[in-house]
Amino acid sequence: MILVTGATGNMGRHLVRQLREAGAAVRAVTRNASKAEGMASAGVEVAVGDLTEPAFLDRVFTGVDALFTLLEVGDPKAVLAAAKRAGVKRVVLVTSLLAQTLPNGFVGQLSLGCEQVMRDSGLPGTVLRPWEFATNTLAWADEIRGGGIVRKPSAGLPSPVIDPADVAAIAAKALLETGHEGRTYALTGPAELLPQDKIRVLSAILGRALHFEENGDPEKLEQIRLTPDQVSEGFGVCFMTSPGVLSTVENVLGRPPRTYQQWAASNANAFR
Ligand SMILES: NC(=O)c1ccc[n+]([C@@H]2O[C@H](COP(=O)([O-])OP(=O)(O)OC[C@H]3O[C@@H](n4cnc5c(N)ncnc54)[C@H](OP(=O)(O)O)[C@@H]3O)[C@@H](O)[C@H]2O)c1
């Protein structure tokens, strides 16, 4: 049985589907059963509860032998200790590539701390360090549905965004196959894009004129300067220096990573 935390999230939804397609037994965690609608009929066991609650942690690992977990779902020490007590044999942990490129920032520190907790637990684990998710541009949906102008304080820096479905595909491999234990995978998409590039892609897919505008709001620019890692997701704009395009997804999956175009085409309805 594979326990998937974050099962209703950007990565988790893909992972649950991919694991079921591979014939694995999956238990999906959510705090809100309505978010897991359709999973039970696809043969997924849905566990409703909060991973910050010790009683839920004790019960949810019964019969589990592999775990997929993220940075922000509960206290990593408590989650991994419960996994260890239950005899879990394999863990896939998602942190952030900021552990490498901005190690002293908030997210970098959180990532490194969490990875250390996993190493200290002694559980055989694989760390996935993805770069910015393509899904961050869902933060633009209201402005796109409205006037079609996305206004942000800055256009930020070129970013090789990754489709969370690819992070899920790597996670599925590391959960189902041996040979990934002890590895850390740094993951990016196939091309460095600026917001203007993504807007062009969305415009072509939606068949509407869309524009990106910098409004240079001094207060927000200062916020970006001080905590680029913490504000990027909310703006849907990357303010951190790119790690460059990495070949890890292709090396592990044997196919190139999905493009922003592919992600946008699959998610066009979110912008309509
Ligand atoms: N966005 C980026 O650009 C980026 C880049 C690199 C790494 N990451 C990392 O990716 C992770 C986010 O992944 P995602 O985007 O797939 O997730 P997401 O869409 O943000 O969803 C969060 C998931 O976590 C679950 N969750 C949160 N708190 C919980 C709790 N106390 N108990 C049980 N479940 C809880 C939620 O479940 P319910 O709401 O259903 O309960 C939901 O499934 C973070 O660790 C982040 O640091 C993100």
Side-chain angles (χ1 to χ4, degrees), residues 142-159:
D142 285 347
E143 285 164 293
I144 288 177
R145 276 194 298 266
I149 301 176
V150 175
R151 288 191 184 86
K152 299 295 163 207
S154 152
L157 296 166
S159 167

Side-chain angles (χ1 to χ4, degrees), residues 193-214:
L193 303 176
L194 280 165
Q196 293 90 329
D197 302 318
K198 296 174 197 162
I199 285 286
R200 266 193 294 279
V201 168
L202 291 169
S203 183
I205 286 170
L206 298 173
R208 283 177 55 212
L210 303 174
H211 304 280
F212 184 87
E213 276 181 17
E214 293 183 50

Side-chain angles (χ1 to χ4, degrees), residues 6-12 29-32 35 49-52 70-74 94-96 130-133 136 233:
T8 61
N10 295 309
M11 288 176 293
V29 177
T30 179
R31 290 162 298 178
N32 178 351
K35 287 176 75 178
D50 191 319
L51 290 160
T52 60
L70 322 172
L71 269 186
E72 287 116 357
V73 292
V94 178
T95 62
S96 164
W131 187 247
E132 186 196 9
F133 289 176
N136 289 0
E233 185 174 341

